[in-house]
Amino acid sequence: MNKVLILMMALMGIGELAAQGDGPIAIAIHGGAGSVRPGSLTPEAEKEYRDMLNKVLDAGYQVLRDGGSSLDAVTAVITQMEDSPLFNAGKGAVFTYEETNELDASIMFGKDRSAGAVAGVRIVKNPILLARTVMENSPHVLLAREGAEQFAKEQGLEIVDPAYFHTEKRMESLRRVREAKEKEAREKQGSRNDTPGDWKYGTVGVAALDRAGNLAAGTSTGGMTYKRWGRVGDSPIIGAGTWADNQTCAVSATGHGEFFIRWGVAQDIAARMEYGGQTLQDAADTVIHKVLKKAGGEGGIIAVDKNGKVAMPFNTAGMFRAAIDADGNRTVAMYGEE
Ligand code: ASP
């Protein structure tokens, strides 16, 4: 073999390594924020959640460790959580006022701020995969309802009967919220625009950093129990429920969506880092514990910065969460004081 050829092959080898990268990796996951406290779940249910969080954390981390992209880690974790009835995303999504399930999801890639999102889809098995398809195979960012479903069919995504998403647990939540709402109306206690009860668990989200230094974030949800009139929350809104930019961080939010939209939570955290020089932890704490708390918005976020640091603040009693940061520190927790 001539020397030039050997040199070219060596250079190509080096090129491939550089493309794959050897930087730090990190991942953070949430399974919803809310009033979960020690004792509020049965020991069996608690174990089920912890086992699931450990399982998806390992699955996502494995993708990154094997040199996979942050986008692949995000979709690998979220599809598993959508397929599990434990979470308010995909199967197990909460019910609307009309007893249907309307699913929202979004994904963003920090390398070029490309993004995709879907709102109010009822027949797409994995909304996060549809969000990614919108990002990769369409010129758009956000598709909604029948149009999004039509796109899903054209793109060959898995379509299911709407009954696939039904679970008795979520129907029971709807009954409780409906009763509370009707009682409130009867007693004419005014109409607060929050929904009591069960919005508080189960939206899922992931933020990840891959070896090539690319951040990505994704979020998937059934929204809030008893939602009506085509209500869409923050989860499919880029900048509110999901954000990723390689200059700063990747963020996924969970909580009372209307507040996350109005305060542009996910993007505000990144902006504080970029323009204000705050660390990820400072920026995330300020937004969740000060700005949002003062506004009356309940919830939390998980985030990873460009160096693989992780922040997971919430202003509710608990948040299902799991992470492995760039130093290999592992967290799997649900309550406030863990
Ligand atoms: N943020 C979601 C929404 O408002 C709900 C949640 O995170 O639990 O639709």
Side-chain angles (χ1 to χ4, degrees):
M1 219 184 293
N2 76 41
K3 280 182 187 158
V4 177
L5 195 60
I6 293 171
L7 187 67
M8 271 175 63
M9 284 172 67
L11 283 172
M12 279 169 66
I14 291 165
E16 272 164 29
L17 252 181
Q20 196 186 327
D22 58 359
I25 56 171
I27 185 165
I29 299 170
H30 72 76
S35 55
V36 62
R37 289 188 171 79
S40 58
L41 291 173
T42 62
E44 296 75 36
E46 185 178 319
K47 183 174 179 314
E48 234 184 322
Y49 277 105
R50 280 193 201 277
D51 288 351
M52 187 65 187
L53 287 170
N54 273 300
K55 187 178 136 193
V56 293
L57 180 62
D58 288 336
Y61 196 69
Q62 179 81 40
V63 171
L64 298 170
R65 210 174 35 202
D66 291 349
S69 74
S70 50
L71 280 172
D72 285 346
V74 168
T75 45
V77 171
I78 294 184
T79 46
Q80 285 195 37
M81 295 176 95
E82 287 177 338
D83 292 346
S84 160
L86 289 178
F87 301 100
N88 172 21
K91 186 170 183 62
V94 299
F95 281 94
T96 65
Y97 178 89
E98 291 87 7
E99 302 190 356
T100 57
N101 307 99
E102 297 180 359
L103 312 171
D104 305 331
S106 66
I107 193 162
M108 187 166 186
F109 190 38
K111 186 177 182 182
D112 56 2
R113 290 200 191 182
S114 52
V118 292
V121 294
R122 287 156 296 186
I123 54 169
V124 178
K125 183 170 181 242
N126 292 109
I128 193 67
L129 296 182
L130 181 55
R132 184 163 174 182
T133 309
V134 171
M135 176 175 83
E136 290 175 343
N137 296 355
S138 92
H140 306 300
V141 170
L142 173 59
L143 300 182
R145 300 179 78 88
E146 290 83 3
E149 293 169 352
Q150 178 65 34
F151 180 69
K153 287 180 191 163
E154 286 173 17
Q155 292 288 317
L157 272 93
E158 191 170 351
I159 301 298
V160 290
D161 188 279
Y164 163 80
F165 298 108
H166 294 192
T167 56
E168 191 41 43
K169 181 175 119 183
R170 299 297 187 187
M171 185 55 89
E172 187 46 43
S173 302
L174 177 68
R175 287 190 198 108
R176 280 203 308 275
V177 174
R178 198 188 292 284
E179 268 169 34
K181 279 282 185 189
E182 287 172 358
K183 185 159 174 264
E184 190 181 292
R186 276 198 304 277
E187 292 170 0
K188 287 206 171 45
Q189 283 178 341
S191 62
R192 299 194 0 220
N193 55 13
D194 58 344
T195 303
D198 292 276
W199 66 266
K200 302 177 176 208
Y201 305 108
T203 290
V204 306
V206 180
L209 172 69
D210 65 26
R211 289 206 187 284
N214 290 319
L215 287 161
T219 310
S220 180
T221 189
M224 289 168 85
T225 303
Y226 200 70
K227 69 182 180 181
R228 209 177 169 186
W229 305 302
R231 180 264 185 191
V232 175
D234 60 313
S235 307
I237 306 298
I238 297 300
T242 298
W243 186 257
D245 186 333
N246 282 2
Q247 303 309 309
T248 51
C249 61
V251 182
S252 169
T254 173
H256 194 154
E258 281 68 9
F259 288 88
F260 284 73
I261 295 174
R262 289 165 62 207
W263 269 266
V265 164
Q267 207 258 331
D268 188 20
I269 293 169
R272 283 165 189 273
M273 294 173 71
E274 190 169 351
Y275 308 136
Q278 281 185 266
T279 64
L280 173 66
Q281 190 71 55
D282 281 351
D285 281 343
T286 307
V287 172
I288 296 302
H289 293 301
K290 294 192 178 142
V291 180
L292 204 63
K293 179 98 181 170
K294 195 165 158 225
E298 294 184 336
I301 62 102
I302 52 97
V304 173
D305 76 8
K306 62 179 180 182
N307 300 314
K309 290 209 179 335
V310 166
M312 303 195 281
F314 50 95
N315 63 26
T316 45
M319 180 169 79
F320 296 106
R321 59 201 186 278
I324 301 177
D325 70 13
D327 297 325
N329 299 310
R330 184 185 181 99
T331 310
V332 173
M334 308 163 70
Y335 309 123
E337 300 298 318
E338 277 185 87

